[in-house]
Every structure is written in C-alpha cells, then in structure tokens.
Amino acid sequence: MFSKDIGIDLGTASVLVFIKGKGVVLREPSVVAMDKNTGKLLKVGADAQAMLGKTPGNIVAMRPLREGVISDYDMTERMLKEFIKKVTSFRLFKPRVIICIPSGITEVEERAVIDAGIQAGARRVYLIEEPVAAAIGAGIDIAKPDGHMVVDIGGGTSDIAVISLGGVVESASIKIAGDKFDEAVIKYIRRKHNVLIGDRTAEELKMTIGCVFPRPEEVNMEVKGRCLMTGLPRVFSVSSSEMIEAFEEPSTRILEAIHSVLERTPPELVADISTNGILMTGGGSMVWGFDKLVESHTGIETHVADDAVSCVVYGTGKSLEDLDHMQDGTMNLSRRRQMSY
C-alpha cells in the first residue's frame, strides 16, 4: 500500500490536508502568487499570503476560491498540485482523495472540484459535504436516526444542515461568512471613522476584539489606516461594541438561515435538535459570542466545537476509513456522490 489516502478541506480562506495514519499534515492559507508576465507560480500558502496587497505590478497574489467555490480553475488546480506534492513524498501510485464542499454547491461547481482534484494528481476523487464532515469531526455518530444541527461558518460560505441517518435532511448554504465579516469591518470603519483599512487589519480586528454579542467588559484595539480626508496615516482606537454594530448585518443573515432550516425540518428531528443542541464549527464560529447569539435567538443550547477550525478536516480524515466500501451517494443520499474515471 504505497499510496496514502488524503482528505482535503478546500476552504475559501485555508486548505487543510489530512493523511491516513498521519493526521493533519498541512494547514496553509488558500492563496497563490504568480508572475503575470510569465504565468509562473511563485508561492503558495502562507508565503503567498504575506504578499497580499503588497505586490509590484508584475506579481499577483490572489485567492483562487471565492465564496466556497472555485473562481479561478487553473490556479486552484496548481495550488492543489503544490499542496499534494508537499505532503506525498513517494508518488508511484496516485492517492485517492476526499474533498470537502459546501452543501449548496451546484453540479457544475462539483464537477470543477472533481476535475481539479484529478488534474492535481488524484487517482479518484470523492466529495463530502462540509456539515457532514464537521459533525463526524466533532465526534457525532451521524449514522443513528437522531437529528443533529451543524452550523459551519467558514471563510466564504456558512453551511447549516440537519443531519440524521448519515445524510443531510435539510440544509442551507449562504455566501455570508468570515470574508463578509471582514468586509463589514472595512465598510464600518470607513463610514464611522473616515479611515480606510486593509483586509489583513480587518481580519485582525475581527479575531482580536470582534464580537456579535455584548462582552462582559469592553475591549479596545489600536488600528492604523489611511485617513480619507488627508490621505495620511492615522492611528485610532476601535471598541468591541463598535464591532457588534459592524457585524450586525452578516450575523443577522446567518441567524435567518438557521431559522429557515429549522422551519423546514420535520418536527421529530426538531425535538432531537432541542435535546442535542446546535453545534457550531469553522473559523467564523469563533467570533466571540456567536454561540450565545444563536442560543438567544433559537432558545436551543448552542456550543462551539473544541477545535472548530479543524473539525471539517478531521471528519474528512475519519471518512477515509470508509473509502473501500463507499458507494455512490454515501456522503449524502440525495445526490450521486462518487465520481470515477
């Protein structure tokens, strides 16, 4: 057995790779940097991320995935190839790969993920929906006839799903997630302070003092940006209560999506969910107070998974165990799920 099976959480913000028998071997931002003139790939992952917003004219640093799906096919394929090359040393046999996808993905987008995986060097590509992988990764036994609700807030999409008997019963996938929170911060700072800040600064604000529910005590952070009136650098302070204001729109949209999934869920499963609670996973769920916000709106006990960022990739890793007897539609019985060439 020379080829190791690989599980990939192909996220808008970061790529995590799991190898059977080794665990998570790679965690890199989904960013690529290329030379525009020659088309040469210069850097991928963390090295490329450091270049974002700082490149000269001939170099482009970009994220090839937007809102959970492939926006630049060629770049995604090359990025995957680099990451697979990084983690597989002996390449006589091509590995089998499971890739995570948002639950609302279309068949065309699904096809693009499969093709990119095959082109990047996989022997066979299987797909698993993010909420299903997140539930497995968080230690939920999804095979039982017992309803569980998973809210997975990533970089590009938020996936809300009710899972029972190994499949998704009801789900919603909205393109409001971590990136939209960053955008909301930039817009808010521009409107309120008349200062322009970059994506990296917005993300830092979100992770350091960002919250969607009032904190027990106010926290502040100093921010550097460019004043829109003078065009000169300016340093000012932002408070956590301002962040609640900034995040109001995206967090409300996520709450509405959770509500609509609950409304469509069969009553028996809703009863299970009120007993089991709501599980939150993904980097976006780590914004302070998100579990409290969901709980206050739904009245259902909500908690964030222990390792929220890695839940999906661990679930994908556990699914590698079932590859040998995986049939069509194993990941979600409502659709054909396994493609082979």
Side-chain angles (χ1 to χ4, degrees), residues 12-13 29-36 41 43-45 47-55 59-66 70-76 78-79 83:
T12 309
S30 357
V31 183
V32 291
M34 66 173 281
D35 189 320
K36 239 186 347 198
L41 197 66
K43 300 275 186 213
V44 292
D47 296 339
Q49 190 186 36
M51 298 181 176
L52 277 177
K54 298 178 181 179
T55 54
I59 296 174
V60 214
M62 57 177 290
R63 289 164 65 173
L65 291 116
R66 282 259 165 254
I70 294 174
S71 63
D72 185 322
Y73 177 82
D74 183 46
M75 282 295 128
T76 305
R78 287 164 78 175
M79 178 176 77
F83 287 149

PDB file of all heavy atoms in Angstrom, residues 12-13 29-36 41 43-45 47-55 59-66 70-76 78-79 83:
ATOM      1  N   THR A  12     -12.233  28.486   1.413  1.00  0.00           N
ATOM      2  CA  THR A  12     -12.001  29.786   0.772  1.00  0.00           C
ATOM      3  C   THR A  12     -10.810  30.480   1.414  1.00  0.00           C
ATOM      4  O   THR A  12     -10.029  31.149   0.756  1.00  0.00           O
ATOM      5  CB  THR A  12     -13.255  30.675   0.935  1.00  0.00           C
ATOM      6  OG1 THR A  12     -14.391  29.938   0.505  1.00  0.00           O
ATOM      7  CG2 THR A  12     -13.159  31.935   0.136  1.00  0.00           C
ATOM      8  N   ALA A  13     -10.674  30.319   2.742  1.00  0.00           N
ATOM      9  CA  ALA A  13      -9.604  31.021   3.454  1.00  0.00           C
ATOM     10  C   ALA A  13      -8.366  30.151   3.643  1.00  0.00           C
ATOM     11  O   ALA A  13      -7.244  30.629   3.577  1.00  0.00           O
ATOM     12  CB  ALA A  13     -10.105  31.497   4.807  1.00  0.00           C
ATOM     13  N   PRO A  29      -2.910  28.959   4.114  1.00  0.00           N
ATOM     14  CA  PRO A  29      -3.946  29.824   3.530  1.00  0.00           C
ATOM     15  C   PRO A  29      -4.133  29.487   2.046  1.00  0.00           C
ATOM     16  O   PRO A  29      -3.167  29.121   1.379  1.00  0.00           O
ATOM     17  CB  PRO A  29      -3.346  31.234   3.680  1.00  0.00           C
ATOM     18  CG  PRO A  29      -2.236  31.095   4.659  1.00  0.00           C
ATOM     19  CD  PRO A  29      -1.742  29.692   4.568  1.00  0.00           C
ATOM     20  N   SER A  30      -5.376  29.578   1.539  1.00  0.00           N
ATOM     21  CA  SER A  30      -5.586  29.296   0.104  1.00  0.00           C
ATOM     22  C   SER A  30      -5.263  30.544  -0.708  1.00  0.00           C
ATOM     23  O   SER A  30      -6.158  31.241  -1.173  1.00  0.00           O
ATOM     24  CB  SER A  30      -7.016  28.856  -0.201  1.00  0.00           C
ATOM     25  OG  SER A  30      -7.795  28.743   0.923  1.00  0.00           O
ATOM     26  N   VAL A  31      -3.979  30.805  -0.838  1.00  0.00           N
ATOM     27  CA  VAL A  31      -3.514  31.975  -1.594  1.00  0.00           C
ATOM     28  C   VAL A  31      -2.395  31.531  -2.525  1.00  0.00           C
ATOM     29  O   VAL A  31      -1.564  30.700  -2.153  1.00  0.00           O
ATOM     30  CB  VAL A  31      -2.968  33.080  -0.642  1.00  0.00           C
ATOM     31  CG1 VAL A  31      -2.554  34.319  -1.427  1.00  0.00           C
ATOM     32  CG2 VAL A  31      -3.999  33.463   0.402  1.00  0.00           C
ATOM     33  N   VAL A  32      -2.409  32.048  -3.746  1.00  0.00           N
ATOM     34  CA  VAL A  32      -1.307  31.762  -4.668  1.00  0.00           C
ATOM     35  C   VAL A  32      -0.738  33.083  -5.181  1.00  0.00           C
ATOM     36  O   VAL A  32      -1.465  34.066  -5.310  1.00  0.00           O
ATOM     37  CB  VAL A  32      -1.744  30.901  -5.891  1.00  0.00           C
ATOM     38  CG1 VAL A  32      -2.082  29.503  -5.493  1.00  0.00           C
ATOM     39  CG2 VAL A  32      -2.920  31.532  -6.615  1.00  0.00           C
ATOM     40  N   ALA A  33       0.571  33.095  -5.461  1.00  0.00           N
ATOM     41  CA  ALA A  33       1.194  34.284  -6.051  1.00  0.00           C
ATOM     42  C   ALA A  33       1.830  33.857  -7.361  1.00  0.00           C
ATOM     43  O   ALA A  33       2.519  32.839  -7.414  1.00  0.00           O
ATOM     44  CB  ALA A  33       2.251  34.848  -5.114  1.00  0.00           C
ATOM     45  N   MET A  34       1.550  34.626  -8.423  1.00  0.00           N
ATOM     46  CA  MET A  34       2.129  34.265  -9.715  1.00  0.00           C
ATOM     47  C   MET A  34       2.680  35.496 -10.429  1.00  0.00           C
ATOM     48  O   MET A  34       2.271  36.620 -10.155  1.00  0.00           O
ATOM     49  CB  MET A  34       1.096  33.559 -10.586  1.00  0.00           C
ATOM     50  CG  MET A  34      -0.062  34.431 -10.993  1.00  0.00           C
ATOM     51  SD  MET A  34      -1.143  33.638 -12.174  1.00  0.00           S
ATOM     52  CE  MET A  34      -0.247  33.853 -13.685  1.00  0.00           C
ATOM     53  N   ASP A  35       3.618  35.224 -11.340  1.00  0.00           N
ATOM     54  CA  ASP A  35       4.179  36.291 -12.160  1.00  0.00           C
ATOM     55  C   ASP A  35       3.265  36.455 -13.369  1.00  0.00           C
ATOM     56  O   ASP A  35       3.075  35.526 -14.149  1.00  0.00           O
ATOM     57  CB  ASP A  35       5.591  35.892 -12.611  1.00  0.00           C
ATOM     58  CG  ASP A  35       6.303  37.042 -13.290  1.00  0.00           C
ATOM     59  OD1 ASP A  35       5.644  37.760 -14.058  1.00  0.00           O
ATOM     60  OD2 ASP A  35       7.515  37.220 -13.034  1.00  0.00           O
ATOM     61  N   LYS A  36       2.680  37.649 -13.505  1.00  0.00           N
ATOM     62  CA  LYS A  36       1.706  37.891 -14.569  1.00  0.00           C
ATOM     63  C   LYS A  36       2.333  37.755 -15.951  1.00  0.00           C
ATOM     64  O   LYS A  36       1.703  37.306 -16.902  1.00  0.00           O
ATOM     65  CB  LYS A  36       1.125  39.297 -14.407  1.00  0.00           C
ATOM     66  CG  LYS A  36      -0.356  39.246 -14.242  1.00  0.00           C
ATOM     67  CD  LYS A  36      -1.111  40.548 -14.199  1.00  0.00           C
ATOM     68  CE  LYS A  36      -0.357  41.830 -14.036  1.00  0.00           C
ATOM     69  NZ  LYS A  36      -1.277  42.908 -13.596  1.00  0.00           N
ATOM     70  N   LEU A  41       4.159  30.144 -11.352  1.00  0.00           N
ATOM     71  CA  LEU A  41       3.670  30.133  -9.968  1.00  0.00           C
ATOM     72  C   LEU A  41       4.854  30.411  -9.053  1.00  0.00           C
ATOM     73  O   LEU A  41       5.852  29.707  -9.080  1.00  0.00           O
ATOM     74  CB  LEU A  41       3.077  28.748  -9.661  1.00  0.00           C
ATOM     75  CG  LEU A  41       2.160  28.649  -8.439  1.00  0.00           C
ATOM     76  CD1 LEU A  41       0.893  29.455  -8.651  1.00  0.00           C
ATOM     77  CD2 LEU A  41       1.789  27.196  -8.181  1.00  0.00           C
ATOM     78  N   LYS A  43       4.647  31.432  -5.359  1.00  0.00           N
ATOM     79  CA  LYS A  43       4.471  30.938  -3.988  1.00  0.00           C
ATOM     80  C   LYS A  43       3.043  30.466  -3.788  1.00  0.00           C
ATOM     81  O   LYS A  43       2.121  30.948  -4.449  1.00  0.00           O
ATOM     82  CB  LYS A  43       4.714  32.075  -2.970  1.00  0.00           C
ATOM     83  CG  LYS A  43       6.098  32.703  -3.005  1.00  0.00           C
ATOM     84  CD  LYS A  43       7.085  31.914  -2.165  1.00  0.00           C
ATOM     85  CE  LYS A  43       8.424  32.619  -2.089  1.00  0.00           C
ATOM     86  NZ  LYS A  43       9.537  31.732  -2.018  1.00  0.00           N
ATOM     87  N   VAL A  44       2.868  29.512  -2.859  1.00  0.00           N
ATOM     88  CA  VAL A  44       1.506  29.139  -2.455  1.00  0.00           C
ATOM     89  C   VAL A  44       1.452  29.162  -0.927  1.00  0.00           C
ATOM     90  O   VAL A  44       2.455  29.060  -0.247  1.00  0.00           O
ATOM     91  CB  VAL A  44       1.093  27.720  -2.960  1.00  0.00           C
ATOM     92  CG1 VAL A  44       0.955  27.680  -4.442  1.00  0.00           C
ATOM     93  CG2 VAL A  44       2.053  26.659  -2.464  1.00  0.00           C
ATOM     94  N   GLY A  45       0.222  29.303  -0.413  1.00  0.00           N
ATOM     95  CA  GLY A  45       0.037  29.231   1.043  1.00  0.00           C
ATOM     96  C   GLY A  45       0.506  30.467   1.788  1.00  0.00           C
ATOM     97  O   GLY A  45       0.346  31.599   1.322  1.00  0.00           O
ATOM     98  N   ASP A  47       3.388  31.820   2.374  1.00  0.00           N
ATOM     99  CA  ASP A  47       4.339  32.725   1.709  1.00  0.00           C
ATOM    100  C   ASP A  47       3.613  33.672   0.759  1.00  0.00           C
ATOM    101  O   ASP A  47       3.953  34.846   0.643  1.00  0.00           O
ATOM    102  CB  ASP A  47       5.375  31.918   0.897  1.00  0.00           C
ATOM    103  CG  ASP A  47       6.242  31.049   1.804  1.00  0.00           C
ATOM    104  OD1 ASP A  47       6.313  31.369   3.011  1.00  0.00           O
ATOM    105  OD2 ASP A  47       6.837  30.070   1.308  1.00  0.00           O
ATOM    106  N   ALA A  48       2.602  33.127   0.070  1.00  0.00           N
ATOM    107  CA  ALA A  48       1.839  33.957  -0.867  1.00  0.00           C
ATOM    108  C   ALA A  48       0.935  34.927  -0.109  1.00  0.00           C
ATOM    109  O   ALA A  48       0.737  36.071  -0.539  1.00  0.00           O
ATOM    110  CB  ALA A  48       1.000  33.071  -1.785  1.00  0.00           C
ATOM    111  N   GLN A  49       0.419  34.487   1.036  1.00  0.00           N
ATOM    112  CA  GLN A  49      -0.480  35.354   1.807  1.00  0.00           C
ATOM    113  C   GLN A  49       0.246  36.614   2.294  1.00  0.00           C
ATOM    114  O   GLN A  49      -0.311  37.703   2.333  1.00  0.00           O
ATOM    115  CB  GLN A  49      -1.058  34.610   3.009  1.00  0.00           C
ATOM    116  CG  GLN A  49      -2.175  35.400   3.678  1.00  0.00           C
ATOM    117  CD  GLN A  49      -2.665  34.743   4.952  1.00  0.00           C
ATOM    118  OE1 GLN A  49      -1.902  34.166   5.705  1.00  0.00           O
ATOM    119  NE2 GLN A  49      -3.954  34.828   5.189  1.00  0.00           N
ATOM    120  N   ALA A  50       1.519  36.440   2.646  1.00  0.00           N
ATOM    121  CA  ALA A  50       2.309  37.581   3.119  1.00  0.00           C
ATOM    122  C   ALA A  50       2.433  38.655   2.037  1.00  0.00           C
ATOM    123  O   ALA A  50       2.710  39.821   2.319  1.00  0.00           O
ATOM    124  CB  ALA A  50       3.682  37.105   3.561  1.00  0.00           C
ATOM    125  N   MET A  51       2.216  38.237   0.763  1.00  0.00           N
ATOM    126  CA  MET A  51       2.354  39.195  -0.346  1.00  0.00           C
ATOM    127  C   MET A  51       1.061  39.951  -0.640  1.00  0.00           C
ATOM    128  O   MET A  51       1.075  40.918  -1.398  1.00  0.00           O
ATOM    129  CB  MET A  51       2.751  38.449  -1.627  1.00  0.00           C
ATOM    130  CG  MET A  51       4.070  37.725  -1.567  1.00  0.00           C
ATOM    131  SD  MET A  51       4.311  36.954  -3.184  1.00  0.00           S
ATOM    132  CE  MET A  51       5.940  36.259  -3.001  1.00  0.00           C
ATOM    133  N   LEU A  52      -0.085  39.473  -0.100  1.00  0.00           N
ATOM    134  CA  LEU A  52      -1.380  40.087  -0.429  1.00  0.00           C
ATOM    135  C   LEU A  52      -1.353  41.592  -0.182  1.00  0.00           C
ATOM    136  O   LEU A  52      -0.995  42.050   0.900  1.00  0.00           O
ATOM    137  CB  LEU A  52      -2.507  39.469   0.402  1.00  0.00           C
ATOM    138  CG  LEU A  52      -3.103  38.153  -0.106  1.00  0.00           C
ATOM    139  CD1 LEU A  52      -4.148  37.638   0.854  1.00  0.00           C
ATOM    140  CD2 LEU A  52      -3.719  38.300  -1.494  1.00  0.00           C
ATOM    141  N   GLY A  53      -1.771  42.351  -1.217  1.00  0.00           N
ATOM    142  CA  GLY A  53      -1.833  43.808  -1.073  1.00  0.00           C
ATOM    143  C   GLY A  53      -0.487  44.497  -1.078  1.00  0.00           C
ATOM    144  O   GLY A  53      -0.397  45.701  -0.855  1.00  0.00           O
ATOM    145  N   LYS A  54       0.597  43.743  -1.311  1.00  0.00           N
ATOM    146  CA  LYS A  54       1.931  44.365  -1.239  1.00  0.00           C
ATOM    147  C   LYS A  54       2.778  44.077  -2.482  1.00  0.00           C
ATOM    148  O   LYS A  54       3.990  44.216  -2.446  1.00  0.00           O
ATOM    149  CB  LYS A  54       2.690  43.827  -0.015  1.00  0.00           C
ATOM    150  CG  LYS A  54       2.019  44.149   1.311  1.00  0.00           C
ATOM    151  CD  LYS A  54       2.783  43.559   2.468  1.00  0.00           C
ATOM    152  CE  LYS A  54       2.086  43.862   3.787  1.00  0.00           C
ATOM    153  NZ  LYS A  54       2.779  43.278   4.929  1.00  0.00           N
ATOM    154  N   THR A  55       2.160  43.607  -3.556  1.00  0.00           N
ATOM    155  CA  THR A  55       2.961  43.151  -4.698  1.00  0.00           C
ATOM    156  C   THR A  55       3.215  44.254  -5.727  1.00  0.00           C
ATOM    157  O   THR A  55       2.377  45.133  -5.908  1.00  0.00           O
ATOM    158  CB  THR A  55       2.251  41.989  -5.428  1.00  0.00           C
ATOM    159  OG1 THR A  55       0.919  42.428  -5.767  1.00  0.00           O
ATOM    160  CG2 THR A  55       2.156  40.762  -4.574  1.00  0.00           C
ATOM    161  N   ILE A  59       3.495  41.003 -10.276  1.00  0.00           N
ATOM    162  CA  ILE A  59       3.157  39.850  -9.435  1.00  0.00           C
ATOM    163  C   ILE A  59       1.724  39.977  -8.907  1.00  0.00           C
ATOM    164  O   ILE A  59       1.334  41.038  -8.428  1.00  0.00           O
ATOM    165  CB  ILE A  59       4.144  39.729  -8.241  1.00  0.00           C
ATOM    166  CG1 ILE A  59       5.560  39.444  -8.768  1.00  0.00           C
ATOM    167  CG2 ILE A  59       3.715  38.629  -7.274  1.00  0.00           C
ATOM    168  CD1 ILE A  59       6.635  39.458  -7.705  1.00  0.00           C
ATOM    169  N   VAL A  60       0.944  38.903  -9.037  1.00  0.00           N
ATOM    170  CA  VAL A  60      -0.418  38.924  -8.491  1.00  0.00           C
ATOM    171  C   VAL A  60      -0.501  37.903  -7.368  1.00  0.00           C
ATOM    172  O   VAL A  60      -0.157  36.736  -7.561  1.00  0.00           O
ATOM    173  CB  VAL A  60      -1.486  38.496  -9.537  1.00  0.00           C
ATOM    174  CG1 VAL A  60      -2.782  39.250  -9.342  1.00  0.00           C
ATOM    175  CG2 VAL A  60      -0.982  38.621 -10.954  1.00  0.00           C
ATOM    176  N   ALA A  61      -0.975  38.353  -6.213  1.00  0.00           N
ATOM    177  CA  ALA A  61      -1.278  37.411  -5.128  1.00  0.00           C
ATOM    178  C   ALA A  61      -2.789  37.345  -5.051  1.00  0.00           C
ATOM    179  O   ALA A  61      -3.461  38.370  -4.955  1.00  0.00           O
ATOM    180  CB  ALA A  61      -0.692  37.899  -3.810  1.00  0.00           C
ATOM    181  N   MET A  62      -3.344  36.137  -5.144  1.00  0.00           N
ATOM    182  CA  MET A  62      -4.798  36.030  -5.204  1.00  0.00           C
ATOM    183  C   MET A  62      -5.310  34.789  -4.499  1.00  0.00           C
ATOM    184  O   MET A  62      -4.552  33.854  -4.211  1.00  0.00           O
ATOM    185  CB  MET A  62      -5.236  35.982  -6.657  1.00  0.00           C
ATOM    186  CG  MET A  62      -4.569  34.831  -7.401  1.00  0.00           C
ATOM    187  SD  MET A  62      -5.080  34.645  -9.079  1.00  0.00           S
ATOM    188  CE  MET A  62      -6.717  34.071  -8.919  1.00  0.00           C
ATOM    189  N   ARG A  63      -6.604  34.811  -4.207  1.00  0.00           N
ATOM    190  CA  ARG A  63      -7.242  33.635  -3.631  1.00  0.00           C
ATOM    191  C   ARG A  63      -8.093  32.995  -4.719  1.00  0.00           C
ATOM    192  O   ARG A  63      -9.060  33.598  -5.188  1.00  0.00           O
ATOM    193  CB  ARG A  63      -8.101  34.053  -2.438  1.00  0.00           C
ATOM    194  CG  ARG A  63      -7.232  34.473  -1.269  1.00  0.00           C
ATOM    195  CD  ARG A  63      -7.985  35.249  -0.231  1.00  0.00           C
ATOM    196  NE  ARG A  63      -9.004  34.438   0.405  1.00  0.00           N
ATOM    197  CZ  ARG A  63      -9.721  34.855   1.442  1.00  0.00           C
ATOM    198  NH1 ARG A  63      -9.511  36.038   1.944  1.00  0.00           N
ATOM    199  NH2 ARG A  63     -10.631  34.080   1.976  1.00  0.00           N
ATOM    200  N   PRO A  64      -7.737  31.772  -5.154  1.00  0.00           N
ATOM    201  CA  PRO A  64      -8.449  31.170  -6.292  1.00  0.00           C
ATOM    202  C   PRO A  64      -9.843  30.637  -5.961  1.00  0.00           C
ATOM    203  O   PRO A  64     -10.575  30.194  -6.827  1.00  0.00           O
ATOM    204  CB  PRO A  64      -7.529  30.033  -6.726  1.00  0.00           C
ATOM    205  CG  PRO A  64      -6.698  29.719  -5.541  1.00  0.00           C
ATOM    206  CD  PRO A  64      -6.611  30.946  -4.693  1.00  0.00           C
ATOM    207  N   LEU A  65     -10.210  30.653  -4.651  1.00  0.00           N
ATOM    208  CA  LEU A  65     -11.566  30.233  -4.283  1.00  0.00           C
ATOM    209  C   LEU A  65     -12.313  31.424  -3.709  1.00  0.00           C
ATOM    210  O   LEU A  65     -11.776  32.179  -2.913  1.00  0.00           O
ATOM    211  CB  LEU A  65     -11.517  29.110  -3.237  1.00  0.00           C
ATOM    212  CG  LEU A  65     -10.981  27.795  -3.777  1.00  0.00           C
ATOM    213  CD1 LEU A  65      -9.699  27.430  -3.076  1.00  0.00           C
ATOM    214  CD2 LEU A  65     -12.013  26.701  -3.598  1.00  0.00           C
ATOM    215  N   ARG A  66     -13.533  31.582  -4.156  1.00  0.00           N
ATOM    216  CA  ARG A  66     -14.364  32.678  -3.647  1.00  0.00           C
ATOM    217  C   ARG A  66     -15.693  32.100  -3.203  1.00  0.00           C
ATOM    218  O   ARG A  66     -16.294  31.316  -3.934  1.00  0.00           O
ATOM    219  CB  ARG A  66     -14.630  33.712  -4.754  1.00  0.00           C
ATOM    220  CG  ARG A  66     -13.453  34.626  -4.980  1.00  0.00           C
ATOM    221  CD  ARG A  66     -13.661  35.975  -4.295  1.00  0.00           C
ATOM    222  NE  ARG A  66     -12.402  36.696  -4.207  1.00  0.00           N
ATOM    223  CZ  ARG A  66     -11.694  36.863  -3.103  1.00  0.00           C
ATOM    224  NH1 ARG A  66     -12.098  36.358  -1.976  1.00  0.00           N
ATOM    225  NH2 ARG A  66     -10.564  37.532  -3.095  1.00  0.00           N
ATOM    226  N   ILE A  70     -14.749  27.340  -6.630  1.00  0.00           N
ATOM    227  CA  ILE A  70     -13.575  27.697  -7.429  1.00  0.00           C
ATOM    228  C   ILE A  70     -13.900  28.889  -8.324  1.00  0.00           C
ATOM    229  O   ILE A  70     -14.832  28.839  -9.124  1.00  0.00           O
ATOM    230  CB  ILE A  70     -13.157  26.483  -8.289  1.00  0.00           C
ATOM    231  CG1 ILE A  70     -12.665  25.349  -7.374  1.00  0.00           C
ATOM    232  CG2 ILE A  70     -12.084  26.875  -9.293  1.00  0.00           C
ATOM    233  CD1 ILE A  70     -12.369  24.046  -8.099  1.00  0.00           C
ATOM    234  N   SER A  71     -13.114  29.988  -8.166  1.00  0.00           N
ATOM    235  CA  SER A  71     -13.354  31.125  -9.061  1.00  0.00           C
ATOM    236  C   SER A  71     -12.281  31.169 -10.143  1.00  0.00           C
ATOM    237  O   SER A  71     -12.492  31.718 -11.204  1.00  0.00           O
ATOM    238  CB  SER A  71     -13.377  32.427  -8.272  1.00  0.00           C
ATOM    239  OG  SER A  71     -12.131  32.664  -7.672  1.00  0.00           O
ATOM    240  N   ASP A  72     -11.120  30.590  -9.853  1.00  0.00           N
ATOM    241  CA  ASP A  72     -10.064  30.506 -10.875  1.00  0.00           C
ATOM    242  C   ASP A  72      -9.608  29.050 -10.930  1.00  0.00           C
ATOM    243  O   ASP A  72      -8.823  28.598 -10.103  1.00  0.00           O
ATOM    244  CB  ASP A  72      -8.906  31.436 -10.504  1.00  0.00           C
ATOM    245  CG  ASP A  72      -7.838  31.487 -11.598  1.00  0.00           C
ATOM    246  OD1 ASP A  72      -7.569  30.431 -12.213  1.00  0.00           O
ATOM    247  OD2 ASP A  72      -7.273  32.567 -11.827  1.00  0.00           O
ATOM    248  N   TYR A  73     -10.129  28.332 -11.926  1.00  0.00           N
ATOM    249  CA  TYR A  73      -9.917  26.882 -12.006  1.00  0.00           C
ATOM    250  C   TYR A  73      -8.433  26.526 -12.114  1.00  0.00           C
ATOM    251  O   TYR A  73      -7.913  25.688 -11.389  1.00  0.00           O
ATOM    252  CB  TYR A  73     -10.696  26.324 -13.208  1.00  0.00           C
ATOM    253  CG  TYR A  73     -10.483  24.854 -13.407  1.00  0.00           C
ATOM    254  CD1 TYR A  73     -11.204  23.928 -12.659  1.00  0.00           C
ATOM    255  CD2 TYR A  73      -9.522  24.386 -14.301  1.00  0.00           C
ATOM    256  CE1 TYR A  73     -10.982  22.578 -12.820  1.00  0.00           C
ATOM    257  CE2 TYR A  73      -9.295  23.037 -14.466  1.00  0.00           C
ATOM    258  CZ  TYR A  73     -10.034  22.135 -13.725  1.00  0.00           C
ATOM    259  OH  TYR A  73      -9.808  20.796 -13.865  1.00  0.00           O
ATOM    260  N   ASP A  74      -7.743  27.216 -13.020  1.00  0.00           N
ATOM    261  CA  ASP A  74      -6.339  26.913 -13.287  1.00  0.00           C
ATOM    262  C   ASP A  74      -5.486  27.079 -12.026  1.00  0.00           C
ATOM    263  O   ASP A  74      -4.664  26.229 -11.684  1.00  0.00           O
ATOM    264  CB  ASP A  74      -5.844  27.840 -14.415  1.00  0.00           C
ATOM    265  CG  ASP A  74      -4.409  27.529 -14.809  1.00  0.00           C
ATOM    266  OD1 ASP A  74      -4.113  26.326 -14.968  1.00  0.00           O
ATOM    267  OD2 ASP A  74      -3.599  28.464 -14.937  1.00  0.00           O
ATOM    268  N   MET A  75      -5.716  28.183 -11.327  1.00  0.00           N
ATOM    269  CA  MET A  75      -4.930  28.460 -10.113  1.00  0.00           C
ATOM    270  C   MET A  75      -5.242  27.462  -8.996  1.00  0.00           C
ATOM    271  O   MET A  75      -4.362  27.057  -8.240  1.00  0.00           O
ATOM    272  CB  MET A  75      -5.221  29.880  -9.613  1.00  0.00           C
ATOM    273  CG  MET A  75      -4.498  30.939 -10.396  1.00  0.00           C
ATOM    274  SD  MET A  75      -2.716  30.744 -10.162  1.00  0.00           S
ATOM    275  CE  MET A  75      -2.140  30.715 -11.799  1.00  0.00           C
ATOM    276  N   THR A  76      -6.517  27.073  -8.887  1.00  0.00           N
ATOM    277  CA  THR A  76      -6.903  26.106  -7.844  1.00  0.00           C
ATOM    278  C   THR A  76      -6.207  24.779  -8.087  1.00  0.00           C
ATOM    279  O   THR A  76      -5.662  24.156  -7.173  1.00  0.00           O
ATOM    280  CB  THR A  76      -8.435  25.894  -7.836  1.00  0.00           C
ATOM    281  OG1 THR A  76      -9.064  27.152  -7.690  1.00  0.00           O
ATOM    282  CG2 THR A  76      -8.872  24.976  -6.705  1.00  0.00           C
ATOM    283  N   ARG A  78      -3.422  24.268  -9.718  1.00  0.00           N
ATOM    284  CA  ARG A  78      -1.980  24.377  -9.460  1.00  0.00           C
ATOM    285  C   ARG A  78      -1.685  24.440  -7.965  1.00  0.00           C
ATOM    286  O   ARG A  78      -0.694  23.886  -7.494  1.00  0.00           O
ATOM    287  CB  ARG A  78      -1.425  25.609 -10.181  1.00  0.00           C
ATOM    288  CG  ARG A  78      -1.362  25.358 -11.697  1.00  0.00           C
ATOM    289  CD  ARG A  78      -1.201  26.621 -12.485  1.00  0.00           C
ATOM    290  NE  ARG A  78       0.176  27.105 -12.467  1.00  0.00           N
ATOM    291  CZ  ARG A  78       0.570  28.155 -13.186  1.00  0.00           C
ATOM    292  NH1 ARG A  78      -0.285  28.798 -13.937  1.00  0.00           N
ATOM    293  NH2 ARG A  78       1.828  28.556 -13.133  1.00  0.00           N
ATOM    294  N   MET A  79      -2.570  25.100  -7.232  1.00  0.00           N
ATOM    295  CA  MET A  79      -2.387  25.177  -5.776  1.00  0.00           C
ATOM    296  C   MET A  79      -2.538  23.785  -5.151  1.00  0.00           C
ATOM    297  O   MET A  79      -1.717  23.361  -4.330  1.00  0.00           O
ATOM    298  CB  MET A  79      -3.431  26.146  -5.187  1.00  0.00           C
ATOM    299  CG  MET A  79      -3.366  26.275  -3.679  1.00  0.00           C
ATOM    300  SD  MET A  79      -4.542  27.496  -3.058  1.00  0.00           S
ATOM    301  CE  MET A  79      -6.079  26.588  -3.159  1.00  0.00           C
ATOM    302  N   PHE A  83       0.194  21.526  -3.013  1.00  0.00           N
ATOM    303  CA  PHE A  83      -0.068  21.018  -1.664  1.00  0.00           C
ATOM    304  C   PHE A  83       0.036  19.495  -1.608  1.00  0.00           C
ATOM    305  O   PHE A  83       0.593  18.926  -0.672  1.00  0.00           O
ATOM    306  CB  PHE A  83      -1.442  21.478  -1.156  1.00  0.00           C
ATOM    307  CG  PHE A  83      -1.495  22.942  -0.790  1.00  0.00           C
ATOM    308  CD1 PHE A  83      -2.667  23.678  -0.939  1.00  0.00           C
ATOM    309  CD2 PHE A  83      -0.380  23.588  -0.287  1.00  0.00           C
ATOM    310  CE1 PHE A  83      -2.719  25.020  -0.587  1.00  0.00           C
ATOM    311  CE2 PHE A  83      -0.414  24.938   0.066  1.00  0.00           C
ATOM    312  CZ  PHE A  83      -1.584  25.654  -0.087  1.00  0.00           C
TER     313      PHE A  83
END
